[in-house]
């Protein structure tokens, strides 16, 4: 009963993160990297990811789906935090869904700082390695968040207007990733 639904919802969230969240970040980064010129090629991929996400979401238990609706219907920042905290199973599922993107961001962040810098930091000692790890983590967080934001904004605009988002919209959505990366970096310094 309860245990199977709980484990099933966590597995569903993990699958959604792997099959939708990570590819969505890659599509969004491709949109940014090509300044929107690849949108005609990326739109069908994005549409497929949206459809897959919707199909996977239907696999959640009725309890999860009800809690998701309750959280989505909550208005305001602090009330939404309260809605999440009062639904710990739904909160756990949301975290599990983000784990694949966090792992992909970690890989991307390490790649961005480079293997040579990692070796040099390791040789310099634990403090240098920790500092570089914080930097790599922040870069990875910025990349995955920017990519997901850009693709989600583009998808919403296309759903409402039939046209891809403007370059300005893409850049603005991408800035959300930069802000998130900055928060991650600052948090890592504490």
């Amino acid at each position: 009963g309860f245990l199977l639904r709980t484990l099933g919802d966590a597995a569903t969230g993990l699958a959604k993160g792997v099959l939708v969240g990570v590819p969505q970040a890659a599509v969004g980064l491709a949109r940014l990297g090509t300044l929107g010129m690849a949108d005609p090629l990326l739109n069908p991929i994005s549409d497929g990811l949206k459809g897959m996400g919707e199909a996977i979401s239907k696999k959640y238990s009725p309890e999860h789906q009800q809690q998701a609706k309750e959280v989505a219907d909550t208005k305001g920042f602090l009330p939404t935090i309260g809605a999440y905290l009062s639904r710990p199973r739904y909160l756990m599922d949301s975290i599990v869904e983000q784990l694949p993107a966090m792992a992909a961001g970690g890989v991307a962040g390490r790649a961005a700082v480079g293997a040579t810098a990692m070796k040099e930091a390791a040789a310099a000692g634990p403090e240098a390695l920790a500092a570089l790890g914080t930097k790599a983590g922040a870069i990875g967080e910025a990349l995955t968040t920017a990519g997901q934001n850009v693709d989600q904004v583009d998808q919403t605009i296309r759903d409402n207007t039939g046209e891809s988002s403007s370059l300005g919209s893409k850049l603005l959505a991408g800035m959300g990733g930069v802000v998130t990366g900055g928060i991650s970096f600052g948090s890592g310094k504490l």
Side-chain angles (χ1 to χ4, degrees):
F2 176 77
L3 181 61
L4 283 177
R5 287 191 308 274
T6 300
L7 293 175
D9 285 342
T12 300
L14 186 62
K16 189 173 179 187
V18 168
L19 299 172
V20 179
V22 172
Q24 186 179 51
V27 168
L29 289 173
R31 289 183 189 284
L32 275 176
T34 62
L35 303 176
M37 290 184 276
D39 283 357
L41 299 172
L42 296 170
N43 290 346
I45 297 168
S46 180
D47 292 341
L49 292 172
K50 178 185 175 194
M52 186 182 304
E54 291 168 352
I56 292 171
S57 291
K58 291 178 183 174
K59 302 292 185 191
Y60 283 116
S61 69
E63 295 91 347
H64 174 99
Q65 292 182 32
Q66 178 61 36
Q67 289 181 0
K69 182 182 180 332
E70 291 167 0
V71 170
D73 290 346
T74 303
K75 304 293 181 224
F77 181 72
L78 292 177
T80 299
I81 290 173
Y84 271 105
L85 293 176
S86 67
R87 293 160 182 84
R89 259 186 64 202
Y90 179 71
L91 176 60
M92 181 193 72
D93 296 340
S94 298
I95 292 168
V96 168
E97 186 178 325
Q98 295 305 315
L99 290 176
M102 292 168 69
V107 170
R110 283 192 187 121
V113 299
T116 303
M118 293 295 268
K119 286 180 187 175
E120 290 171 358
E127 286 181 17
L129 190 58
L132 190 60
T134 298
K135 181 179 177 182
I139 291 168
E141 182 75 18
L143 288 171
T144 55
T145 302
Q148 288 177 334
N149 286 354
V150 169
D151 196 54
Q152 289 170 1
V153 165
D154 192 79
Q155 183 71 54
T156 300
I157 290 172
R158 285 188 299 112
D159 286 349
N160 290 323
T161 68
E163 300 289 327
S164 282
S165 61
S166 67
L167 178 58
S169 295
K170 287 174 179 54
L171 293 174
L172 190 58
M175 287 304 296
V178 173
V179 170
T180 301
I183 291 169
S184 177
F185 184 74
S187 298
K189 293 291 208 176
L190 297 177

